[in-house]
């Protein structure tokens, strides 16, 4: 089976290369995509990569569910099972959820705050390519040398050299390290963008809630990811330089890794779920045609979650002997976080209350999310009770809980965001009929898959076991769970089919405001011109675009968002191939270190250094779009400029 | 992207919007770097008594060596401040002179550190010996790598200054390297206290 997968990877690669060459698209690909620093294009590339990784992680999940479908299955070997659950977790968190949130960051944030780009466009491109090549590095492990097999958190001493020879763990460490650097850069980039690049008049309390949630997520990225960098660096030193941080000998302490890992790992789950909350806030307000209820309490709850999520990491090891004082502190902190989350759920419900609610695909996923998160949140509080956790720890109850919140929160949120901003990205909308089928297959399959796992957890089934004997009484629930997993797979295929179908037959968005939206991105044509705003808008209120539409309806003169001020040449960053080359060098360095080929590793790092130095000596990094060209483009969009001759 | 001129009373490195944006971004980067060091400090604090069969901290620390390193690095932070002072007064030769002095001090710091590491390794106190030594070399070595990176960075800047003189872009770069250099100085103050003074008591 592994060979079959290898062959199919090679065939797909050859097919892609052939199509690109046949249609002479290499130049186009390089100029328009690989060298771009435009946040909208980078967002689209993140989105494509995230969906591909969702597919790969999903296939991993289906392989595992097939293996567990009945007792004593011989579908996968134990080693394969270890590798598959490890890559499933790693891919889904770091190479699916993270790029998915970065996709919506890139697509929506600059447009919502009335900016022409992110604060550091060149760095943004570097972030994307680091993520991309790190993902390739991890996926390469499947073909060359063997996948990581020590679980997605790679606890030492299990992941230390004496217990885990071979390159699999090295692949894990280096791929995460490289994508982690990119994530930190993205966190800094969007933090600065939101704080410093808002259009005039957009005070923080007029900021769209999605941007608030991105701000919270970026703060968490900035404070949490360095801990992952540190943990992985120390593990790498243990593995390739013979260090003794986490070994069983010479004074090492594996618990140190577990602490460092979860100092990142717990905030990470809020990093991926906060933007989803932001998407829900936008979607609920738009499709209820109502201003969001309790804006201030929404902002406060985002910030409270941001702070508390940093104080709960030890709940991941209640059973590892921390003592009652420590366990109590982390149990209480873990439970308290449910309060701001509850506040958010109620404000969404109150926004819908007495609103004129429409239910297209983005709203459907939002509505589907609410019961999911209520159940997932309740089981989370059960897990947070330290004494009870001794019962559920590392059981299928835990598996069911975190899939319920991570899929029910992040995946539902990102899919809602994808449907919501799809017209803005591509200029056409996705097909509603297919979207509804996809949602119901996925949503029903989701309950069929994970509800039985709560029971399995109570029946004593622990995570990571690759098969079980018939006498355990787990067979029926496992069978039901696997059926649910396949239903989710059908839901995913329908989403993919929708994307392909709508590319040809999707309803075109000619207005730029297909949902009757509220925030500034809907004031632009779809897809937006590469400079976004011909004239930076003046913001006077929350939901600036909605308010200006209301003013127009009431026959008042619209003060904001008009081309009042004269056009000026627009300052834009130049495209650059260096982010791509730099990331290839990182990939080479990582690949060298995976196999302890130090010469290749050093060559890769020299390449990285050379790219940095060349950038330092480059001063011709941006250009101006002349007024004529802006006028021409705006006219092509049918947007006449104010006061034009 | 902005490069519209701003108020004239601001220092040259803040005189463009792009400049002040990048300086703010660098401050945020320093937060992440500080947290990276914090994690290594925490690891050292947990592991410095875990010496296994290797030497204790007090057995390998060279008081004269690390005191000299401290004095040199703190001085270099001062000289990089003087470089910024001359930059703001549009004095190119002053800027170049004090940057060169900073680089020389940085190089002598690195030289002392490397000789300290080598003499430890010769006596068998290597990173592979014990958890304490792993955390010691990683923490101090990471700081040393940062200093080396800063030296390369400032050398590149010297070449650019000699070609272009003091422009807002160059000024922004000099200011950011200055921030970086002061940051490394602050980290060293903690290294001196935690690794050498507190660690040296064991």
């Amino acid at each position: 089976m592994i060979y079959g997968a290898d062959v199919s990877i090679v065939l797909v690669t050859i097919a892609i290369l052939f199509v690109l060459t046949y249609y002479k698209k290499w130049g186009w690909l390089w100029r328009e995509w690989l060298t771009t620093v435009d946040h909208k294009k980078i967002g689209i590339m993140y989105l494509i990569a995230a969906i591909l990784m969702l597919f790969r992680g999903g296939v991993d999940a289906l392989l595992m569910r097939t293996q567990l479908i009945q007792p004593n299955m011989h579908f996968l070997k134990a080693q394969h099972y270890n590798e598959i659950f490890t890559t499933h977790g790693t891919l889904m968190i770091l190479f699916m959820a993270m790029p998915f949130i970065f996709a919506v960051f890139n697509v929506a944030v600059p447009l919502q705050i009335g900016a022409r780009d992110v604060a550091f466009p060149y760095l943004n491109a570097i972030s994307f390519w680091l993520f991309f090549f790190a993902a390739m590095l991890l996926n390469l492990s499947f073909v060359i040398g063997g996948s990581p097999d020590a679980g997605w958190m790679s606890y030492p001493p299990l992941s230390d050299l004496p217990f885990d020879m071979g390159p699999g763990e090295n692949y894990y460490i280096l791929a995460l390290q490289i994508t982690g650097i990119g994530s930190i850069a993205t966190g800094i980039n969007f933090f600065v963008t939101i704080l410093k690049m808002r259009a005039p008049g957009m005070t923080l309390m007029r900021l769209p809630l999605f941007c608030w949630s991105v701000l919270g997520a970026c703060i968490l990225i900035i404070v949490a990811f360095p801990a992952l960098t540190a943990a992985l660096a120390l593990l790498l030193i243990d593995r390739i330089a013979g260090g003794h941080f986490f070994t069983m000998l010479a004074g090492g302490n594996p618990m140190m890794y577990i602490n460092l890992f979860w100092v990142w790992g717990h905030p990470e789950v809020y990093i991926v779920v906060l933007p989803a909350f932001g998407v829900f806030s936008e979607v609920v307000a738009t499709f209820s045609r109502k201003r969001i209820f309790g804006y201030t309490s929404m902002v406060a709850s985002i910030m409270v979650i941001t702070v508390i999520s940093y104080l709960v990491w030890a709940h991941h090891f209640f059973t590892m002997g921390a003592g009652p004082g420590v366990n109590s502190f982390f149990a209480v902190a873990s439970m308290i976080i449910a309060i701001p989350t509850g506040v958010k759920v109620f404000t969404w419900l109150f926004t819908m209350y007495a609103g004129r609610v429409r239910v297209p695909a983005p709203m459907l996923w939002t509505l589907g999310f609410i019961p999911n998160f209520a159940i997932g949140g309740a089981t989370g509080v059960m897990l947070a009770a330290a004494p009870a956790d001794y019962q559920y720890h590392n059981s299928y109850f835990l598996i069911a809980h975190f899939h319920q919140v991570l899929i029910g929160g992040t995946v539902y949120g990102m899919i809602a965001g994808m449907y919501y901003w799809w017209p803005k990205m591509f200029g056409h909308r996705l097909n509603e009929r297919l979207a509804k089928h996809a949602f119901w297959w996925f949503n029903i399959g989701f309950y069929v898959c994970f509800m039985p796992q709560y029971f399995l957890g109570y029946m004593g089934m622990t995570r990571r076991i690759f098969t079980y004997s018939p006498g355990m009484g787990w067979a029926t629930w496992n069978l039901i769970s696997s059926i649910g997993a396949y239903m989710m797979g059908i839901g995913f295929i329908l989403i993919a089919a929708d994307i392909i179908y709508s590319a040809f037959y999707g309803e075109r968005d000619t207005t730029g405001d297909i949902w009757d939206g509220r925030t500034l991105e809907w004031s632009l044509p779809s897809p937006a011109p590469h400079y976004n705003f011909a004239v930076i808008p003046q913001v006077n209120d929350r939901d600036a675009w909605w308010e200006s539409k209301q003013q127009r309806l009431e026959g008042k003169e619209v003060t904001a968002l008009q081309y009042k001020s004269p056009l000026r040449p627009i300052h834009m960053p130049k495209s650059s191939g260096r982010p791509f080359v730099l990331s290839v060098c990182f990939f080479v360095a990582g690949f060298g270190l995976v196999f302890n080929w130090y010469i290749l590793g050093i060559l890769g790092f020299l390449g990285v250094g050379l790219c940095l130095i060349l950038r330092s000596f480059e001063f011709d990094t941006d250009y101006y779009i002349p007024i004529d060209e802006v006028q021409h483009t705006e006219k092509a969009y049918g947007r006449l400029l104010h006061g034009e001759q | 992207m902005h490069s519209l001129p701003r108020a004239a009373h601001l220092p040259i490195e803040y005189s463009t919007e792009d400049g002040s944006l990048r300086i703010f971004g660098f401050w945020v980067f320093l937060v992440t770097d500080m947290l990276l060091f914090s994690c290594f400090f925490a690891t050292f604090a947990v592991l410095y008594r875990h010496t296994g069969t290797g030497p204790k901290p007090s057995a390998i620390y060279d008081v004269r060596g690390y005191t000299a390193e401290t004095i040199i690095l703190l001085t270099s932070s001062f000289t990089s401040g003087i470089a910024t002072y001359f930059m703001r007064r549009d004095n190119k030769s002053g800027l170049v002179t004090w940057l060169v002095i900073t680089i020389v001090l940085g190089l002598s710091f690195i030289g002392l550190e490397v000789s300290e590491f080598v003499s430890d390794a010769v006596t068998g106190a290597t990173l592979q010996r014990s958890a304490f030594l792993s955390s010691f070399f990683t923490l101090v070595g990471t700081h040393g790598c940062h200093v080396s990176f800063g030296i390369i960075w400032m050398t590149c800047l010297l070449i650019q200054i000699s070609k272009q003189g003091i422009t807002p872009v160059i000024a922004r770069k000099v200011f950011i390297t200055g921030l970086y250099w002061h940051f490394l100085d602050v980290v060293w103050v903690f290294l001196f206290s935690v690794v050498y003074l507190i660690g040296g008591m064991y």
Side-chain angles (χ1 to χ4, degrees):
Chain A
M1 197 170 68
I2 300 287
Y3 288 114
D6 290 356
V7 170
S8 64
I9 289 169
V10 171
L11 286 178
V12 169
T13 313
I14 291 172
I16 293 170
L17 295 181
F18 176 76
V19 168
L20 281 172
T21 313
Y22 187 77
Y23 289 104
K24 300 195 174 62
K25 288 291 189 188
W26 283 105
W28 167 82
L29 185 70
W30 177 257
R31 280 191 308 276
E32 295 292 320
W33 294 96
L34 301 190
T35 61
T36 187
V37 292
D38 181 351
H39 68 95
K40 299 179 286 299
K41 286 185 177 172
I42 289 174
I44 289 170
M45 291 194 288
Y46 267 123
L47 181 67
I48 294 168
I51 292 172
L52 287 176
M53 292 297 121
L54 181 61
F55 173 73
R56 198 208 133 179
V59 170
D60 282 348
L62 291 184
L63 290 173
M64 283 188 281
R65 281 319 316 170
T66 308
Q67 167 64 22
L68 293 171
I69 209 163
Q70 64 179 49
N72 292 331
M73 273 289 274
H74 293 291
F75 177 63
L76 297 172
K77 294 195 195 81
Q79 174 62 20
H80 287 154
Y81 193 81
N82 288 349
E83 292 179 1
I84 285 171
F85 74 64
T86 301
T87 49
H88 169 72
T90 311
L91 276 167
M92 284 299 199
I93 294 284
L94 283 142
F95 297 104
M96 187 282 288
M98 290 301 280
F100 221 146
I101 67 164
F102 292 161
V104 290
F105 283 20
N106 271 290
V107 166
V109 168
L111 299 179
Q112 282 199 330
I113 62 172
R116 289 198 169 123
D117 209 325
V118 295
F120 312 116
Y122 178 84
L123 185 67
N124 198 21
I126 291 178
S127 293
F128 171 75
W129 289 111
L130 285 179
F131 146 73
F132 180 82
F133 282 103
M136 292 302 108
L137 188 63
L138 190 70
N139 279 294
L140 198 61
S141 72
F142 198 58
V143 185
I144 306 172
S147 286
D149 55 2
W152 85 273
M153 53 291 242
S154 275
Y155 281 175
L158 183 61
S159 59
D160 242 327
L161 205 52
F163 301 96
D164 201 330
M165 304 295 284
E169 278 308 301
N170 293 353
Y171 270 120
Y172 167 93
I173 294 168
L174 287 152
L176 263 60
Q177 194 69 285
I178 292 170
T179 191
I181 297 168
S183 299
I184 291 176
T186 304
I188 296 172
N189 211 337
F190 280 86
F191 181 76
V192 177
T193 303
I194 293 173
L195 286 186
K196 294 284 185 187
M197 308 268 290
R198 280 168 287 131
M202 185 177 277
T203 59
L204 277 176
M205 291 315 275
R206 288 179 188 160
L207 195 61
L209 277 173
F210 175 69
C211 292
W212 263 111
S213 73
V214 174
L215 191 66
C218 287
I219 293 171
L220 280 176
I221 290 173
I222 290 163
V223 298
F225 262 79
L228 177 70
T229 309
L232 292 172
L234 301 183
L235 190 59
L236 188 68
I237 290 170
D238 266 14
R239 284 185 63 88
I240 71 172
H244 286 290
F245 291 104
F246 313 127
T247 56
M248 302 306 281
L249 301 167
N253 184 351
M255 207 58 219
M256 195 59 216
Y257 176 89
I258 298 173
N259 271 297
L260 286 176
F261 185 87
W262 286 113
V263 165
W264 161 76
H266 199 84
E268 168 68 11
V269 305
Y270 289 93
I271 291 169
V272 296
V273 88
L274 276 177
F277 291 169
V279 171
F280 295 136
S281 304
E282 298 296 322
V283 167
V284 164
T286 301
F287 295 110
S288 306
R289 288 208 180 85
K290 236 178 103 186
R291 181 174 278 211
I292 195 94
F293 177 89
Y295 177 93
T296 317
S297 58
M298 278 297 224
V299 172
S301 67
I302 289 170
M303 286 297 121
V304 169
I305 290 172
T306 303
V307 174
I308 301 179
S309 69
Y310 210 54
L311 305 173
V312 301
W313 82 87
H315 73 213
H316 292 269
F317 39 91
F318 277 153
T319 62
M320 296 195 203
V326 172
N327 278 1
S328 307
F329 175 86
F330 286 97
V332 172
S334 307
M335 289 178 193
I336 283 178
I337 216 163
I339 295 170
T341 317
V343 167
K344 299 182 81 63
V345 172
F346 279 110
T347 49
W348 291 316
L349 293 175
F350 287 137
T351 306
M352 281 181 259
Y353 178 74
R356 282 167 289 160
V357 180
R358 293 169 287 165
V359 191
M363 191 63 174
L364 197 57
W365 287 89
T366 305
L367 293 175
F369 145 85
I370 289 175
N372 270 333
F373 218 72
I375 300 169
T379 52
V381 175
M382 290 168 75
L383 282 158
D389 185 63
Y390 276 75
Q391 181 61 32
Y392 333 116
H393 191 80
N394 276 355
S395 75
Y396 262 72
F397 187 88
L398 167 83
I399 302 293
H401 157 71
F402 75 67
H403 281 90
Q404 187 116 37
V405 285
L406 278 172
I407 298 178
T410 304
V411 176
Y412 276 45
M414 291 306 112
I415 292 176
M418 184 184 86
Y419 279 110
Y420 184 60
W421 281 303
W422 195 273
K424 192 48 62 188
M425 281 186 268
F426 296 101
H428 64 83
R429 63 186 284 183
L430 293 173
N431 182 277
E432 275 300 318
R433 212 178 131 75
L434 274 166
K436 293 218 157 84
H437 282 289
F439 171 78
W440 287 112
W441 275 102
F442 196 94
N443 195 45
I444 295 171
F446 183 57
Y447 285 93
V448 176
C449 182
F450 291 106
M451 287 300 142
Q453 296 187 7
Y454 285 117
F455 302 128
L456 283 169
Y458 275 134
M459 293 162 84
M461 183 165 164
T462 55
R463 72 200 294 193
R464 305 196 187 101
I465 57 168
F466 93 106
T467 193
Y468 52 93
S469 60
M472 307 300 281
W474 300 339
T476 316
W477 291 124
N478 269 309
L479 175 65
I480 295 171
S481 180
S482 298
I483 292 170
Y486 281 104
M487 292 171 72
M488 292 166 76
I490 293 170
F492 175 83
I493 290 169
L494 287 171
I495 293 175
D498 195 355
I499 290 172
I500 294 166
Y501 173 84
S502 301
F504 297 103
Y505 306 109
E507 182 193 330
R508 301 288 133 176
D509 173 18
T510 49
T511 59
D513 187 15
I514 196 161
W515 308 117
D516 197 8
R518 310 179 69 82
T519 40
L520 286 177
E521 74 268 34
W522 306 109
S523 70
L524 293 171
S526 298
H530 65 294
Y531 49 77
N532 296 354
F533 295 89
V535 173
I536 297 292
Q538 165 74 37
V539 177
N540 300 321
D541 208 340
R542 264 176 225 159
D543 295 342
W545 174 236
W546 178 261
E547 291 304 325
S548 77
K549 285 191 290 189
Q550 293 308 108
Q551 284 176 359
R552 198 173 296 142
L553 281 178
E554 290 162 19
K556 288 185 203 156
E557 202 208 343
V558 184
T559 49
L561 310 180
Q562 286 291 68
Y563 297 115
K564 281 216 142 176
S565 48
L567 281 180
R568 287 215 196 87
I570 295 174
H571 189 198
M572 295 295 286
K574 275 187 181 167
S575 295
S576 171
R578 205 173 297 110
F580 183 85
V581 177
L582 178 116
S583 306
V584 170
C585 294
F586 255 110
F587 177 85
V588 171
F591 190 72
L593 289 186
V594 164
F595 290 98
N596 297 13
W597 297 336
Y598 295 110
I599 294 173
L600 191 64
I602 290 166
L603 283 176
F605 283 122
L606 284 177
V608 172
L610 190 65
C611 284
L612 294 177
I613 289 174
L614 284 175
R615 172 66 176 179
S616 172
F617 280 86
E618 188 179 52
F619 287 87
D620 180 24
T621 56
D622 33 49
Y623 70 105
Y624 282 91
I625 308 175
I627 296 176
D628 297 350
E629 196 184 318
V630 178
Q631 274 179 340
H632 187 76
T633 315
E634 290 292 303
K635 267 189 190 151
Y637 281 114
R639 293 157 72 86
L640 279 174
L641 299 170
H642 184 85
E644 208 183 340
Q645 301 85 348
Chain B
M1 297 301 292
H2 305 269
S3 65
L4 305 172
R6 299 208 341 178
H9 62 271
L10 286 171
I12 181 169
E13 67 274 12
Y14 284 99
S15 63
T16 63
E17 271 191 52
D18 191 46
S20 59
L21 200 62
R22 283 165 191 256
I23 290 168
F24 180 65
F26 196 77
W27 274 107
V28 185
F29 163 75
L30 287 182
V31 172
T32 66
D33 216 16
M34 181 201 76
L35 286 159
L36 180 75
F37 274 110
S38 309
C39 292
F40 288 160
F41 271 109
T43 309
F44 179 85
V46 167
L47 296 177
Y48 80 96
R49 288 190 175 87
H50 295 212
T51 49
T53 57
K56 286 180 170 188
S58 50
I60 60 161
Y61 287 169
D62 169 23
V63 179
R64 263 184 293 180
Y66 71 71
T67 310
E69 286 170 37
T70 307
I71 293 166
I72 289 170
L73 197 68
L74 264 61
T75 311
S76 80
S77 198
F78 181 61
T79 57
S80 91
I82 300 175
T84 310
Y85 174 88
F86 279 110
M87 176 190 81
R88 285 186 178 167
R89 270 145 198 81
D90 206 20
N91 184 333
K92 185 174 159 185
S93 60
L95 169 61
V96 169
T97 313
W98 287 98
L99 268 187
V100 170
I101 292 172
T102 310
I103 290 173
V104 170
L105 287 171
L107 282 171
S108 42
F109 169 85
I110 289 293
L112 277 175
E113 191 164 83
V114 168
S115 71
E116 187 192 326
F117 281 8
V118 169
S119 69
D120 288 343
V122 168
T123 60
T126 61
L127 183 147
Q128 291 85 2
R129 184 77 183 276
S130 70
F132 152 64
L133 286 164
S134 299
S135 63
F136 169 77
F137 282 113
T138 303
L139 174 54
V140 181
T142 304
H143 178 269
C145 285
H146 274 68
V147 173
S148 310
F149 185 82
I151 291 169
I152 297 170
W153 194 355
M154 280 195 271
T155 312
C156 290
L157 271 184
L158 270 182
I159 300 167
Q160 292 169 23
I161 295 164
S162 64
K163 277 185 186 163
Q164 302 198 4
I166 299 170
T167 65
V169 173
I170 295 281
R172 179 254 297 166
K173 290 184 176 190
V174 173
F175 187 76
I176 287 178
T177 42
L179 283 182
Y180 180 78
W181 202 257
H182 295 315
F183 167 77
L184 292 180
D185 208 42
V186 173
V187 172
W188 182 263
V189 171
F190 284 93
L191 271 171
F192 178 76
S193 333
V194 174
V195 176
Y196 290 106
L197 294 187
I198 297 176
M201 286 192 286
Y202 178 69

